[in-house]
Amino acid sequence: MGMTVAVPIWQGRVSPVFDAASRLLVVRRGRARELERREFALGAVASDALARTVLDLGVDVLLCAAISEPLRFALERGGVRVEDNLCGDVESLLRAFNAGTWRDPKFQMPGC
């Protein structure tokens, strides 16, 4: 079963605030391997436009740090599972997500 995972990125790490992120990494996975990886530039847009972009990319799961409630609700209404309060190196987080260990304390935002 395939899944598309997105992570807002900044200098190889999870971007601190999804609403203000400038880049989005989108990874499509097949049964047990990565099928495609693309990076998208995000402009400074309103929450509804950002949600539409994510939905149009076919994202199933968003791994992010902070996210505003309006954007979170728009994504969830569209069927995207939002996993927030995450931080750290993007590649390490993706490996942990694939292994089911992304809720390890080392990926938790401080204070969350």
Side-chain angles (χ1 to χ4, degrees):
M1 179 164 116
M3 176 185 293
T4 301
V5 179
V7 184
I9 57 174
W10 182 73
Q11 296 184 352
R13 298 183 63 79
V14 177
S15 183
V17 180
F18 179 54
D19 303 60
S22 60
R23 313 230 22 106
L24 184 68
L25 177 65
V26 177
V27 178
R28 297 186 201 291
R29 293 193 51 83
R31 293 186 185 269
R33 65 184 179 92
E34 188 175 302
L35 301 175
E36 178 185 20
R37 173 183 289 237
R38 293 185 62 196
E39 199 173 303
F40 296 90
L42 302 173
V45 296
S47 291
D48 57 338
L50 183 51
R52 175 58 37 212
T53 297
V54 172
L55 295 172
D56 287 348
L57 291 171
V59 171
D60 298 304
V61 179
L62 174 70
L63 304 176
C64 65
I67 184 172
S68 68
E69 287 301 309
L71 181 51
R72 177 189 191 95
F73 292 144
L75 291 171
E76 289 176 342
R77 274 193 310 272
V80 176
R81 186 174 106 209
V82 176
E83 297 288 345
D84 61 353
N85 298 321
L86 300 171
C87 64
D89 174 76
V90 170
E91 294 306 320
S92 297
L93 178 61
L94 285 170
R95 279 191 302 276
F97 180 76
N98 293 333
T101 60
W102 80 100
R103 284 296 180 190
D104 184 292
K106 71 180 177 184
F107 296 114
Q108 295 298 299
M109 289 287 292
C112 293

